[in-house]
Amino acid sequence: MTDRLDLTRLYRLHAGDLNGYLRQRLRCPALADDLCQEAFLRLSQRPCNEGLEEPRAYLFRIANNLMIDHHRRCYSRIDHQPLDDPHLCLACPYSCPETATESALCQRQLRRAMASLPPRLLQALTWHRLEGLTQAEIGRRIGVSERMAGRYIAQALERCRNELVGSAPLC
């Protein structure tokens, strides 16, 4: 192979053409620069005892092989999915046993708290939270003012909250 002076001379003579060839084929100047440098690096690592008849052709062959390798690496990779993709689900669709048990206990405590409510408070809370009725609609159904219906809802929520806080701290 050529010595260090010859490699420098080869670089001066052929780097521009090689880089232009790579830029035209790759349409990415940064990648073309990298592959051009890699081609000269591979040429410099060639064993010294072999002769080199056509260094320009050899450089272009190295560059072409590097392009092929690059394209193979790109197309053999698994496509990347962005993490904010709504179709990408990283979490297990099943809840863990501890979470499921805790949720069941909270629901049981809430049912117990609601069962202890007086009928008017329970009805007002149920209509408000589950059926989405306004305070005015609840008042008309129960036969009280809108303000009183609001008080029923507030009292029901307060009693449920006190019942849940007074029991085991699960919820």
Side-chain angles (χ1 to χ4, degrees), residues 53-69:
E53 293 179 18
E54 293 291 330
R56 177 178 159 79
Y58 191 72
L59 275 169
F60 275 78
R61 172 51 63 194
I62 292 172
N64 199 45
N65 289 343
L66 288 171
M67 274 192 303
I68 291 169
D69 289 345

Side-chain angles (χ1 to χ4, degrees), residues 1-4 6-7 10 40-52 58:
M1 184 178 122
T2 57
D3 60 8
R4 201 174 286 278
D6 288 338
L7 187 63
L10 284 174
F40 279 97
L41 180 65
R42 298 258 175 112
L43 179 64
S44 71
Q45 294 171 347
R46 193 166 175 268
C48 293
N49 57 3
E50 295 180 24
L52 190 59
Y58 191 72

Side-chain angles (χ1 to χ4, degrees), residues 11 32 36 54 61 90 116 152-153 157 159:
Y11 185 81
C36 182
E54 293 291 330
R61 172 51 63 194
L90 297 177
S116 70
Y152 285 167
I153 295 167
L157 288 172
R159 285 188 180 190

Side-chain angles (χ1 to χ4, degrees), residues 77-151:
R77 288 185 190 151
I78 297 172
D79 289 339
H80 296 286
Q81 282 188 301
L83 292 178
D84 58 350
D85 184 0
H87 301 294
L88 177 65
C89 180
L90 297 177
C92 178
Y94 307 106
S95 63
C96 66
E98 293 86 5
T99 305
T101 303
E102 185 177 339
S103 177
L105 289 173
C106 282
Q107 288 176 9
R108 189 178 314 144
Q109 287 175 340
L110 184 59
R111 275 193 222 100
R112 218 179 3 233
M114 289 181 70
S116 70
L117 291 175
R120 281 189 167 201
L121 297 183
L122 177 62
Q123 190 63 60
L125 181 63
T126 304
W127 281 337
H128 182 67
R129 291 295 176 139
L130 299 180
E131 295 183 24
L133 297 179
T134 64
Q135 292 178 7
E137 292 169 326
I138 294 169
R140 278 194 298 275
R141 284 189 179 185
I142 296 177
V144 296
S145 69
E146 178 180 344
R147 188 172 180 187
M148 193 64 199
R151 285 185 184 161

